[in-house]
Amino acid sequence: MGVMRIGHINIRVLDMDAALHHYGKVLGLQQSDTDAVGNAYLKGWDEWDKYSVMLTPADRAGMNHIAYKVENDADLDVLGKRIRDYGIDVEEVSPGELAYCGRAIRFWLPSGHLMYLYAAKEFVGKAVGTTNPDPWPDGLQGAGVHWLDHALLMCELDPEKGVNKVAEVTTFMQEVLEFKLTEQVMVGPDADVQAATWLARTSTPHDIAFVGGPVMGLHHCAFFLDEWADVLKAADVLAKNKVKIDVTPQRHGITRGTTSYFFDPSGNRNETFAGLGYLGQPDMPVITWTEENLGSGIFYHTGELNEAFTEVYTEGA
Ligand code: M3P
Ligand code: FE
């Protein structure tokens, strides 16, 4: 089957206590472990593997790597060969080297981001279990996010220099990892520059997205909530906790998700994202947003992009 879903994101944080308060008490992820070198591992209450967020203490914010889970161990061999045949070096990662995971493969995306694929991660189970489960667990903290939903990675885009890492990484994701393109933004005088893309392996509108900018980086990682009212309530929780809010609750034209953006204490952007938007079935036609309507694609109500949103982000490697 190949790539199944997003597995985890490894984010660098400047102050671990502040980060644990943010991701734990405010977002409501549950801490599952810490290791000898000070990394912390957290999961959403609705997730079953050991962690979806790995926090690493560092002196600069940003993303170390992103990891996707494949269905079978043999997928690692099949995909590893396909990635090598495409001309990208692939490193074998022995079991345990990627924390709590079985063997993995590691490679640099054409955008310059480090990606891992793994087939097995230590199982801990959902907070509500699997026998006659309640719809949500007692003792949820803060926003009570369900799971890590997607990440949006910034890619170098400079059409004048002929550089378009969005298009390069999107082609790789489609042709090699068999992601489905659900939505794209086309810009330029001939509308032939692919400036942003949303791609999925599951039937959600996106499991990953790429947007063009001056330098590569991490724009945000997003956490799932059931519905619009939960996004509103989550923003209340953020405000109560004096979290720096970037974008108050509203709707995306692209993906139709309801959304709010904010920063962790290190300056990494997070999103709460609700609703499945639509089902990205394999035969769904690609949705295209034109340059004139890009603002509505991102913020449907105002139709206006702001520079603080598009130009502020953390490092991607
Ligand atoms: C999303 C999403 C940007 C667009 C963001 C869209 C950074 O986050 O989940 O659809 O321009
Ligand atoms: Fe998003």
Side-chain angles (χ1 to χ4, degrees), residues 81-153:
K81 178 171 185 325
R82 295 227 312 244
I83 298 163
R84 283 189 194 98
D85 289 348
Y86 195 79
I88 293 176
D89 287 341
V90 177
E91 266 183 275
E92 297 288 330
V93 177
S94 48
E97 200 184 319
L98 185 61
Y100 308 104
C101 293
R103 79 177 177 110
I105 57 173
R106 166 172 68 203
F107 53 94
W108 294 92
L109 290 172
S111 52
H113 300 92
L114 183 61
M115 180 174 276
Y116 282 76
L117 300 178
Y118 66 90
K121 183 184 276 179
E122 192 178 313
F123 175 85
V124 292
K126 293 190 184 197
V128 291
T130 51
T131 306
N132 308 321
D134 293 317
W136 41 269
D138 290 334
L140 270 188
Q141 305 211 71
V145 297
H146 289 237
W147 59 72
L148 173 66
D149 188 81
H150 65 267
L152 191 150
L153 307 181

Side-chain angles (χ1 to χ4, degrees), residues 150 206 220 222 252 261 271:
H150 65 267
H206 64 319
H220 66 265
H252 286 306
Y261 294 93
E271 177 183 20

